[in-house]
Amino acid sequence: MQLLMLGRVGIRGRGGGSRGDPPGWAVTAFNRGRHGAPPDGVWHLVGDRTAVGRLAALAEWEWDLA
């Protein structure tokens, strides 16, 4: 299963710890890349959901939950 997290994920609160991902899920983080890399094992796509044309990094992926 594929999970997409939008925004800053360097500090993940109630949504999950740095390795508190649901078993069997692959996690992808989509953010502007301003606050360092996400935790180990998390795919990182850089973009900006508020800027025209900056969602291109999402075009080739599919997620089960976003």
Side-chain angles (χ1 to χ4, degrees), residues 14-62:
R14 294 180 179 234
S18 62
R19 288 303 334 141
D21 307 322
W25 284 77
V27 179
T28 302
F30 177 76
N31 58 41
R32 292 175 285 189
R34 294 183 180 174
H35 297 286
D40 289 342
V42 174
W43 289 92
H44 187 211
L45 300 176
V46 177
D48 186 346
R49 64 181 175 80
T50 64
V52 175
R54 295 294 309 264
L55 294 173
L58 300 176
E60 296 181 29
W61 294 71
E62 289 186 24

Side-chain angles (χ1 to χ4, degrees), residues 1-18:
M1 301 290 283
Q2 300 287 328
L3 172 65
L4 173 64
M5 296 184 71
L6 301 176
R8 186 174 176 186
V9 295
I11 301 172
R12 290 167 52 195
R14 294 180 179 234
S18 62

